[in-house]
PDB file of all heavy atoms in Angstrom:
ATOM      1  N   LEU A 539      23.123   5.750   4.595  1.00 98.00           N
ATOM      2  CA  LEU A 539      23.595   6.261   5.892  1.00 98.00           C
ATOM      3  C   LEU A 539      22.546   7.136   6.568  1.00 98.00           C
ATOM      4  O   LEU A 539      22.448   7.161   7.792  1.00 98.00           O
ATOM      5  CB  LEU A 539      24.917   7.025   5.709  1.00 98.00           C
ATOM      6  CG  LEU A 539      26.100   6.185   5.195  1.00 98.00           C
ATOM      7  CD1 LEU A 539      27.363   7.038   5.118  1.00 98.00           C
ATOM      8  CD2 LEU A 539      26.345   4.962   6.082  1.00 98.00           C
ATOM      9  N   HIS A 540      21.726   7.842   5.765  1.00 97.00           N
ATOM     10  CA  HIS A 540      20.748   8.744   6.403  1.00 97.00           C
ATOM     11  C   HIS A 540      19.653   7.982   7.166  1.00 97.00           C
ATOM     12  O   HIS A 540      18.906   8.576   7.929  1.00 97.00           O
ATOM     13  CB  HIS A 540      20.143   9.724   5.382  1.00 97.00           C
ATOM     14  CG  HIS A 540      19.137   9.149   4.437  1.00 97.00           C
ATOM     15  ND1 HIS A 540      18.387   9.941   3.589  1.00 97.00           N
ATOM     16  CD2 HIS A 540      18.746   7.868   4.202  1.00 97.00           C
ATOM     17  CE1 HIS A 540      17.578   9.169   2.885  1.00 97.00           C
ATOM     18  NE2 HIS A 540      17.779   7.914   3.231  1.00 97.00           N
ATOM     19  N   ASP A 541      19.586   6.663   6.971  1.00 94.00           N
ATOM     20  CA  ASP A 541      18.595   5.860   7.704  1.00 94.00           C
ATOM     21  C   ASP A 541      19.041   5.535   9.126  1.00 94.00           C
ATOM     22  O   ASP A 541      18.231   5.084   9.936  1.00 94.00           O
ATOM     23  CB  ASP A 541      18.395   4.493   7.011  1.00 94.00           C
ATOM     24  CG  ASP A 541      17.611   4.612   5.715  1.00 94.00           C
ATOM     25  OD1 ASP A 541      16.939   5.627   5.506  1.00 94.00           O
ATOM     26  OD2 ASP A 541      17.684   3.651   4.912  1.00 94.00           O
ATOM     27  N   TRP A 542      20.370   5.705   9.403  1.00 96.00           N
ATOM     28  CA  TRP A 542      20.925   5.103  10.623  1.00 96.00           C
ATOM     29  C   TRP A 542      21.570   6.108  11.550  1.00 96.00           C
ATOM     30  O   TRP A 542      21.980   7.197  11.135  1.00 96.00           O
ATOM     31  CB  TRP A 542      21.950   4.020  10.219  1.00 96.00           C
ATOM     32  CG  TRP A 542      21.374   2.992   9.279  1.00 96.00           C
ATOM     33  CD1 TRP A 542      21.611   2.893   7.939  1.00 96.00           C
ATOM     34  CD2 TRP A 542      20.419   1.953   9.584  1.00 96.00           C
ATOM     35  NE1 TRP A 542      20.892   1.853   7.396  1.00 96.00           N
ATOM     36  CE2 TRP A 542      20.143   1.260   8.388  1.00 96.00           C
ATOM     37  CE3 TRP A 542      19.791   1.540  10.761  1.00 96.00           C
ATOM     38  CZ2 TRP A 542      19.267   0.179   8.324  1.00 96.00           C
ATOM     39  CZ3 TRP A 542      18.903   0.459  10.702  1.00 96.00           C
ATOM     40  CH2 TRP A 542      18.656  -0.202   9.491  1.00 96.00           C
ATOM     41  N   THR A 543      21.719   5.681  12.817  1.00 96.00           N
ATOM     42  CA  THR A 543      22.414   6.495  13.824  1.00 96.00           C
ATOM     43  C   THR A 543      23.899   6.577  13.469  1.00 96.00           C
ATOM     44  O   THR A 543      24.417   5.736  12.718  1.00 96.00           O
ATOM     45  CB  THR A 543      22.309   5.826  15.216  1.00 96.00           C
ATOM     46  OG1 THR A 543      22.919   4.527  15.120  1.00 96.00           O
ATOM     47  CG2 THR A 543      20.861   5.677  15.666  1.00 96.00           C
ATOM     48  N   ASP A 544      24.608   7.538  14.072  1.00 98.00           N
ATOM     49  CA  ASP A 544      26.063   7.654  13.853  1.00 98.00           C
ATOM     50  C   ASP A 544      26.755   6.341  14.194  1.00 98.00           C
ATOM     51  O   ASP A 544      27.659   5.896  13.484  1.00 98.00           O
ATOM     52  CB  ASP A 544      26.658   8.764  14.733  1.00 98.00           C
ATOM     53  CG  ASP A 544      26.351  10.149  14.173  1.00 98.00           C
ATOM     54  OD1 ASP A 544      25.713  10.242  13.096  1.00 98.00           O
ATOM     55  OD2 ASP A 544      26.741  11.132  14.830  1.00 98.00           O
ATOM     56  N   GLU A 545      26.318   5.719  15.279  1.00 98.00           N
ATOM     57  CA  GLU A 545      26.972   4.485  15.746  1.00 98.00           C
ATOM     58  C   GLU A 545      26.840   3.379  14.680  1.00 98.00           C
ATOM     59  O   GLU A 545      27.820   2.712  14.335  1.00 98.00           O
ATOM     60  CB  GLU A 545      26.321   4.088  17.085  1.00 98.00           C
ATOM     61  CG  GLU A 545      26.971   2.924  17.798  1.00 98.00           C
ATOM     62  CD  GLU A 545      26.347   1.585  17.429  1.00 98.00           C
ATOM     63  OE1 GLU A 545      25.118   1.547  17.196  1.00 98.00           O
ATOM     64  OE2 GLU A 545      27.089   0.591  17.332  1.00 98.00           O
ATOM     65  N   LYS A 546      25.646   3.222  14.121  1.00 97.00           N
ATOM     66  CA  LYS A 546      25.465   2.170  13.102  1.00 97.00           C
ATOM     67  C   LYS A 546      26.182   2.531  11.799  1.00 97.00           C
ATOM     68  O   LYS A 546      26.718   1.659  11.116  1.00 97.00           O
ATOM     69  CB  LYS A 546      23.973   1.930  12.859  1.00 97.00           C
ATOM     70  CG  LYS A 546      23.334   1.146  13.992  1.00 97.00           C
ATOM     71  CD  LYS A 546      21.970   0.633  13.598  1.00 97.00           C
ATOM     72  CE  LYS A 546      21.326  -0.070  14.785  1.00 97.00           C
ATOM     73  NZ  LYS A 546      19.877  -0.184  14.645  1.00 97.00           N
ATOM     74  N   CYS A 547      26.197   3.844  11.450  1.00 98.00           N
ATOM     75  CA  CYS A 547      26.933   4.259  10.241  1.00 98.00           C
ATOM     76  C   CYS A 547      28.412   3.917  10.399  1.00 98.00           C
ATOM     77  O   CYS A 547      29.046   3.431   9.459  1.00 98.00           O
ATOM     78  CB  CYS A 547      26.791   5.764  10.013  1.00 98.00           C
ATOM     79  SG  CYS A 547      25.153   6.266   9.506  1.00 98.00           S
ATOM     80  N   SER A 548      28.969   4.182  11.586  1.00 98.00           N
ATOM     81  CA  SER A 548      30.399   3.903  11.822  1.00 98.00           C
ATOM     82  C   SER A 548      30.669   2.417  11.674  1.00 98.00           C
ATOM     83  O   SER A 548      31.669   2.002  11.075  1.00 98.00           O
ATOM     84  CB  SER A 548      30.813   4.358  13.231  1.00 98.00           C
ATOM     85  OG  SER A 548      30.632   5.743  13.326  1.00 98.00           O
ATOM     86  N   ARG A 549      29.754   1.620  12.224  1.00 98.00           N
ATOM     87  CA  ARG A 549      29.921   0.163  12.149  1.00 98.00           C
ATOM     88  C   ARG A 549      29.899  -0.287  10.680  1.00 98.00           C
ATOM     89  O   ARG A 549      30.741  -1.065  10.240  1.00 98.00           O
ATOM     90  CB  ARG A 549      28.777  -0.496  12.937  1.00 98.00           C
ATOM     91  CG  ARG A 549      28.962  -1.945  13.215  1.00 98.00           C
ATOM     92  CD  ARG A 549      28.458  -2.380  14.585  1.00 98.00           C
ATOM     93  NE  ARG A 549      27.155  -1.904  14.990  1.00 98.00           N
ATOM     94  CZ  ARG A 549      25.999  -2.562  14.803  1.00 98.00           C
ATOM     95  NH1 ARG A 549      25.984  -3.697  14.152  1.00 98.00           N
ATOM     96  NH2 ARG A 549      24.858  -2.077  15.260  1.00 98.00           N
ATOM     97  N   LEU A 550      28.949   0.217   9.927  1.00 98.00           N
ATOM     98  CA  LEU A 550      28.819  -0.167   8.516  1.00 98.00           C
ATOM     99  C   LEU A 550      30.042   0.301   7.712  1.00 98.00           C
ATOM    100  O   LEU A 550      30.606  -0.465   6.925  1.00 98.00           O
ATOM    101  CB  LEU A 550      27.520   0.430   7.936  1.00 98.00           C
ATOM    102  CG  LEU A 550      27.239   0.180   6.465  1.00 98.00           C
ATOM    103  CD1 LEU A 550      27.230  -1.318   6.140  1.00 98.00           C
ATOM    104  CD2 LEU A 550      25.887   0.792   6.064  1.00 98.00           C
ATOM    105  N   LEU A 551      30.472   1.548   7.936  1.00 98.00           N
ATOM    106  CA  LEU A 551      31.606   2.072   7.167  1.00 98.00           C
ATOM    107  C   LEU A 551      32.889   1.308   7.488  1.00 98.00           C
ATOM    108  O   LEU A 551      33.720   1.081   6.593  1.00 98.00           O
ATOM    109  CB  LEU A 551      31.779   3.573   7.435  1.00 98.00           C
ATOM    110  CG  LEU A 551      30.705   4.448   6.780  1.00 98.00           C
ATOM    111  CD1 LEU A 551      30.806   5.894   7.261  1.00 98.00           C
ATOM    112  CD2 LEU A 551      30.811   4.404   5.248  1.00 98.00           C
ATOM    113  N   ALA A 552      33.059   0.889   8.730  1.00 98.00           N
ATOM    114  CA  ALA A 552      34.253   0.102   9.090  1.00 98.00           C
ATOM    115  C   ALA A 552      34.224  -1.237   8.355  1.00 98.00           C
ATOM    116  O   ALA A 552      35.251  -1.724   7.868  1.00 98.00           O
ATOM    117  CB  ALA A 552      34.309  -0.109  10.602  1.00 98.00           C
ATOM    118  N   ARG A 553      33.053  -1.848   8.226  1.00 98.00           N
ATOM    119  CA  ARG A 553      32.921  -3.113   7.497  1.00 98.00           C
ATOM    120  C   ARG A 553      33.226  -2.890   6.010  1.00 98.00           C
ATOM    121  O   ARG A 553      33.873  -3.711   5.362  1.00 98.00           O
ATOM    122  CB  ARG A 553      31.493  -3.688   7.635  1.00 98.00           C
ATOM    123  CG  ARG A 553      31.083  -3.986   9.070  1.00 98.00           C
ATOM    124  CD  ARG A 553      29.844  -4.864   9.098  1.00 98.00           C
ATOM    125  NE  ARG A 553      30.239  -6.244   9.012  1.00 98.00           N
ATOM    126  CZ  ARG A 553      29.759  -7.136   8.160  1.00 98.00           C
ATOM    127  NH1 ARG A 553      28.811  -6.786   7.312  1.00 98.00           N
ATOM    128  NH2 ARG A 553      30.184  -8.362   8.144  1.00 98.00           N
TER     129      ARG A 553
END
Side-chain angles (χ1 to χ4, degrees):
L539 297 183
H540 75 171
D541 287 342
W542 306 105
T543 60
D544 283 358
E545 187 268 326
K546 285 194 184 160
C547 290
S548 298
R549 193 143 46 93
L550 178 56
L551 287 171
R553 300 195 86 231

